[in-house]
Amino acid sequence: MNPQPDIRGRLVRINGPIVEAEGLGAAGMLDVVEVGALRLIGEVIRLLGDVATIQVYENTGGLKPGDPVFATGRPLSVELGPGLLGSIFDGIQRPLPAIAKHSGLYINRGEKTEPLDRSRAWPFQPVAALGSRLGPGRVFGTVRETPSIEHRLMIPPDWGEVEVLELAPAGDCTLAAVLGRVRDEAGSERELRMSGLWPVRRPRPAAGRLAMTRPLLTGLRVIDALFPLARGGTAAIPGGFGTGKTMTQHALAKWSEADIIVYIGCGERGNEMTEVLREFPEIIDPRTGRSLMERTVLIANTSNMPVAAREVSIYTGITIAEYYRDMGYHVAVMADSTSRWAEALRELSGRLEEMPADEGFPAYLPTRLAEFYERAGAVRTLGGAEASISVIGAVSPPGGDFSEPVTQHTSRFIRCFWALDRDLANARHYPAIGWLGSYSEYLPDIAPWWAERAPEWKPCRDALMDVLQQEVKLQRIAKLVGPDALPDSQRLILFTADLIKNAFLQQNSFDDIDMYCSPEKLTGMMQILELFHRRARELLQRGGTLAAVRELPCLEAVLRMKHAIPNPEAAKLDALRRRVDADFDELDRRVA
Amino acid sequence: MPPPGGLEYCGLRKVDGPLFVIEGVRDVGFAELVEITAPDGGVRLGQVLEVGRGAALVQVFSGTSGLSNTHTRVRFLGTGLQIPVSTEMLGRVFDGLGRPKDGLPPLLGEELRDVNGLPLNPCLREYPRDFIQTGITAVDLMNSLVRGQKLPIFSGNGLPHNRIAAQIARQARLLRGDLRFAIVFAAMGVKYDVARFFIDSFERSGVIGNVALFLSLADDPSVERLVTPRSALTLAEYLAFEKGMHVLVILTDMTNYCEALREIATARGEIPSRKGYPGYLYSDLASIYERAGRMEGREGSITQMPILTMPSDDISHPVPDLTGFITEGQIVLDRDMHQRGIYPPVAGLPSLSRLMKDGIGKERTRADHPHLAAQLFAAYAKVKDIRALAAVIGEEELSPLDKLYLQFGDAFERRLVTQGEEDDRSITQSLDLGWELLRMLPRGELYRLTEEELKERYDTAAKSEPT
């Protein structure tokens, strides 16, 4: 990783994070360079004759024309190996705790720290047999990275098939250790190590794409019931400030049914990353019984950190996600927020004096967004496993106006749109995912999965959705004439819709019981609400009154079921459902 | 002693708005501080915005009026913009660049610090959790402030944001013991009366000795406003993280700051994004607002209260909008409530404190606080719907329950939100007031409260107090 002393340029112009240097004609496009005496990290983004334009990932204050620039001859890469889980990195994969040890409270410039801990020993376990031939992406050994995650060491995807000549025995090894020797197709020998580099802007290859047939269960009822995301799918959460994008992202990171979570805090608040750092280690994953931090990688490039590093942070995150995907894991990536990333693109583009398109954003914004979201998907890995990356990107439209370029372009490349609603947020109805503007295109893909496990899911979902959609129309009329002027059958719609919102859609992420909803509890609750509405409608048809429905003794239990019935006791919902049925039977008898 | 910096250059290439270009310079660094001697002998400060190929683009903090292309002398000082910081600065008045403005001699700083600061390492941040009692029910009960939070006041012209900020500054205290505190006040482009109002308020409450003021008033050059909040925060960081003080930073008015930023961007011919503001407005504001919080292993904290006036009360204007994306909530003032004589006119629904959830509840304020606040919000949201309905069909046509809600809404605004400027309510008073109002509503409506809470606070009091 040492800079090549032979390619060395000289700064000629400095304009914020964009600088120009002469004498770098031999450097490659997108190569990493080190700028000035502090050796600030930068990347070549334009070459014109002998002059290279460089975006610098750190504050350029004090740089002078004439300062040296050193080429490294390699593209911007991340180091992939054991030790990623549970770590927090900045946008260019510098571990923040290590930086803190060097430079205290503040992040000084020119910090150079190895991304992964060199001194730590990992328990290596060889898997491949001597003399066997392994294709790229095949596992040659494993390391227990955390109690719940086995780190699978693979033949790098760009090597081709190799023959295993030598492999270290089981035992503790550090990253520096040579774990084995292989001969590649060209006949030359190569060393196997625990970690390797991969350029962030190049997607890691997979053997092929698979159909997405399973939902990514998130534990959030409004998503799992109404707008489900498929495993390997892409979703966007657009919302103005204060509508709960970050809270929703945090909840998804906590409870999503994924093996690995990569959380990219891109241009957002420092305190939010602190919250994740302090909170996640204490939360127990309901599936593995282990701390959530053991499956999480954090990339933190907060809003006050250099803007060029914000641009790259999203690629750093997704490359790490691809690495774990290649081991055969299901990974979920949260990017909060993609708007800040797009703004970084805009700022850099402005400094490059490029011709702007919409609202000053560069014309290549949609291309970049498409490239990023396309790195998601369910795949057959090179190693032969089924794995996936699901991407959930928060979008922060200015003024909450979804017609702005980032929201508009993003919605072309995602298939699940969770629109946050200002009115819901103002009424402290969280998660404020509105049922009018949101959609999921994965519904037909994953409906068979539910049909096999819980056949009631689809009909209940349709019934609840129908009530919510009808309510919106009726509300318009009710606002003009008052709800009391409507017939009972229509007021029932308003009543049930309120019940669905309060008892089901609204979810308190600070309540120990309500914060996460298991699929069993989810379908149980959906059935009760569907039953309630169906029976009430039948009752009204037979001449019953809405007033009687409102007085039903079971109603309070229905309203409180989300808090009162913990996930492991979801079977209690059956009893509640029978109680609702019995209460209605009683009313029916009275009407008759 | 020879003057700092290197060569002195004479003559400029071009003067344009607050910027000038100088050619033939050597060894000039990006963001370096520049000392400019005008033809009349006056000395001004500037900063390098761009440098390359022998030329430098410089912005002048005190404006370019009177500079000539031929007779201006320029010296590059070899450092970024720095100010001296020390605890002696408390009780003093400075201009935006940290130079004394009170006629007293300049300070010997304990340390020189770059005003731009460095980003705080997010993994060393301590999550803010200590509730600050401001004595204002609309804040304490509904939008609680915690130590280390950045909570702006979104206001409009003519609304009493200054009175509210001053009241908070006077009354703010921690529930458990008080520690060393300081107030750093930065005024950007506001009138002298506003600054005077704050000074008087600090003097009356006897805290003026703990206040450092950075004033860049309406008649000061607009470019100086770009540095004022940074100077103030540089001092605040020093006091908080080196001297262990709890610092409240009041920044007013951020809209003027953003306008100065737009002025420079336009003068540089940059591509504008929304409403002519530069595309990096978000990053720039973040470099100010993120200088708040608490750090691991340090005593002190920085709590920020920026004030901004929303042009034509439009919350989707880029300045409040981008601020809201960075800060941890917002206190929104409502013109309609103000016209109805309600003080403080804190809008119930759009106001929000994001850190409230972790700063309140058991062992912090009181166990029933989170659910009580949620219930009050839900009920007040319903009041808004019913009011809209009543405006159409008339109040008489409302159901009895809806009428109860209307009464609740009035009481909420008249009794819970409304209070005097000298009225310092304890959190217990505020909480009890919340319960008193909820008792106006039937028990079945209070679904955000638990059965136990209702038993303890709704049922018992309903029996003991005849209605």
Side-chain angles (χ1 to χ4, degrees), chain B residues 108-186:
Chain B
L108 289 173
E110 284 158 34
E111 200 178 309
L112 273 176
R113 286 201 167 195
D114 192 300
V115 294
N116 291 310
L118 286 165
L120 289 163
N121 193 328
C123 77
L124 282 186
R125 280 181 184 268
E126 195 68 65
Y127 195 69
R129 302 197 129 208
D130 299 324
F131 173 80
I132 298 179
Q133 179 179 300
T134 66
I136 297 175
T137 304
V139 176
D140 289 351
L141 183 60
M142 308 294 287
N143 304 288
S144 315
L145 177 68
V146 298
R147 205 166 62 183
Q149 186 173 15
K150 35 193 184 290
L151 188 66
I153 299 180
F154 284 12
S155 182
N157 298 315
L159 295 180
H161 43 267
N162 293 328
R163 283 157 60 198
I164 297 171
Q167 187 174 359
I168 291 176
R170 274 199 313 271
Q171 299 179 350
R173 67 177 58 93
L174 290 169
L175 285 186
R176 261 171 241 93
D178 235 336
L179 304 139
R180 301 209 298 155
F181 81 101
I183 296 171
V184 175
F185 178 84

Side-chain angles (χ1 to χ4, degrees), chain A residues 219-221 224 507 514-519 521-522 525 567:
Chain A
L220 291 186
R221 284 187 294 267
D224 289 346
Q507 198 168 349
D514 196 27
M515 52 174 37
Y516 162 74
C517 185
S518 70
K521 185 173 167 187
L522 176 85
M525 290 173 79
N567 287 305

